[in-house]
Amino acid sequence: MANSREEKQAAGDFTDAKPVFGWTTRGNQFDDDKMDVDAKLVDMPDFRYRMDYPEVGKCVIINNKNFDPSTVSLEDHTKRACFACVLLSHGDNGVIYGTDGCFKIEELTCGFKGNRCRSLAGKPKLFFIQACRGDELDSGVEADSATDAEEGSLQKIPVEADFLYAYSTAPGFYSWRNTQNGSWFIQSLCQVLKQYGKTHDMLHILTQVNYKVARGYESSSNVPGFNAKKQIPCIVSMLTKALYFSSGK
């Protein structure tokens, strides 16, 4: 058995990847004639996540409070189409602060992966994270103006599939908030969801959020070095389909 990184890499060089959809790649071209005879053939699925469950989903909002990750991932989500978690707190790159210390984002999200949360397998799992990811400041630059398978069948999918992380800022950077109106990211997210949440897919929505934060906000501060700074949110998507919050086509 290949255990070390070097052994795994060596083994990988001689392992034939088997396509699921009936094609292999040669360069950038699909080649049906070279299809592995051992490959399992399935039809291409609908390119939207199923949203015709009894419930659209559950959204948990954590605003700098103590919580136990098990109160989130151990629930039965069978009747829900998706899950969303919104975290608002202070943070640093890769970690977020609670009232009793900091923890890695992965410590929360790991509870939703693989067999730990089977009722969300193949469904979108969304994490919106409002927190600093470092202390760098962005001065800006001038510029011109169901599951994948049919119900009743089984299909193996990657444990990291169907996750989406929407961070308020890029890795290493400060995340800004207005003392009266709240964070730039959450303000923009709420505005865009209200306007386009029923008609546009999630990546389109989050791209609009990126635009609003990047173009619509700039810091105003008397603290030296903190004035006229910018911010850009960061989308990390492992979604495998388009996500609409409505079930209509």
Side-chain angles (χ1 to χ4, degrees):
M1 179 178 292
N3 294 319
S4 69
R5 178 179 297 180
E6 292 77 11
E7 289 173 326
K8 289 179 180 179
Q9 290 175 340
D13 292 337
F14 298 98
T15 301
D16 182 26
K18 293 180 172 57
V20 177
F21 295 124
W23 42 256
T24 57
T25 58
R26 183 172 60 187
N28 291 325
Q29 301 296 319
F30 296 124
D31 189 353
D32 289 323
D33 295 334
K34 299 298 183 181
M35 184 182 69
D36 192 312
V37 294
D38 294 329
K40 180 173 63 176
L41 301 179
V42 296
D43 294 329
M44 287 290 286
D46 182 11
F47 201 62
R48 287 192 181 193
Y49 285 104
R50 281 185 55 195
M51 297 301 290
D52 56 348
Y53 287 84
E55 302 175 17
V56 172
K58 181 170 185 175
C59 179
V60 176
I61 300 176
I62 301 168
N63 192 2
N64 199 24
K65 299 290 185 180
N66 289 319
F67 66 98
D68 183 348
S70 67
T71 63
V72 177
S73 62
L74 292 186
E75 291 188 15
D76 184 3
H77 300 271
T78 302
K79 296 182 178 180
R80 297 167 181 159
C82 66
F83 172 80
C85 180
V86 185
L87 301 171
L88 303 93
S89 187
H90 296 290
D92 208 333
N93 207 11
V95 300
I96 192 167
Y97 291 99
T99 57
D100 57 348
C102 67
F103 64 95
K104 295 181 178 180
I105 302 297
E106 290 81 0
E107 292 179 20
L108 173 63
T109 60
C110 69
F112 296 87
K113 297 178 180 178
N115 291 327
R116 296 184 181 94
C117 191
R118 292 290 300 274
S119 60
L120 281 175
K123 301 176 182 179
K125 295 162 280 285
L126 317 176
F127 292 85
F128 302 91
I129 302 167
Q130 166 57 47
C132 290
R133 304 180 73 186
D135 56 8
E136 293 186 54
L137 298 174
D138 188 341
S139 298
V141 61
E142 295 295 333
D144 294 333
S145 320
T147 67
D148 285 341
E150 293 296 327
E151 187 173 353
S153 63
L154 296 176
Q155 183 180 6
K156 183 181 290 186
I157 59 176
V159 296
E160 299 286 346
D162 306 302
F163 279 83
L164 181 141
Y165 304 91
Y167 295 92
S168 61
T169 190
F173 281 86
Y174 192 84
S175 185
W176 292 91
R177 66 182 299 274
N178 183 280
T179 55
Q180 294 183 334
N181 298 323
S183 75
W184 300 354
F185 174 65
I186 297 298
Q187 287 184 68
S188 299
L189 178 62
C190 291
Q191 292 167 5
V192 177
L193 279 173
K194 184 176 181 179
Q195 185 174 2
Y196 297 111
K198 294 183 179 180
T199 58
H200 291 62
D201 71 277
M202 178 52 66
L203 290 182
H204 186 107
I205 288 170
L206 290 177
T207 302
Q208 292 268 7
V209 172
N210 282 4
Y211 183 88
K212 287 182 70 70
V213 173
R215 299 296 185 96
Y217 292 90
E218 185 173 288
S219 67
S220 177
S221 175
N222 294 324
V223 179
F226 278 75
N227 189 50
K229 301 302 180 183
K230 304 292 290 184
Q231 179 179 320
I232 180 66
C234 178
I235 308 166
V236 180
S237 175
M238 281 81 82
L239 296 181
T240 57
K241 294 183 179 182
L243 172 58
Y244 291 82
F245 287 121
S246 60
S247 59
K249 297 290 186 175

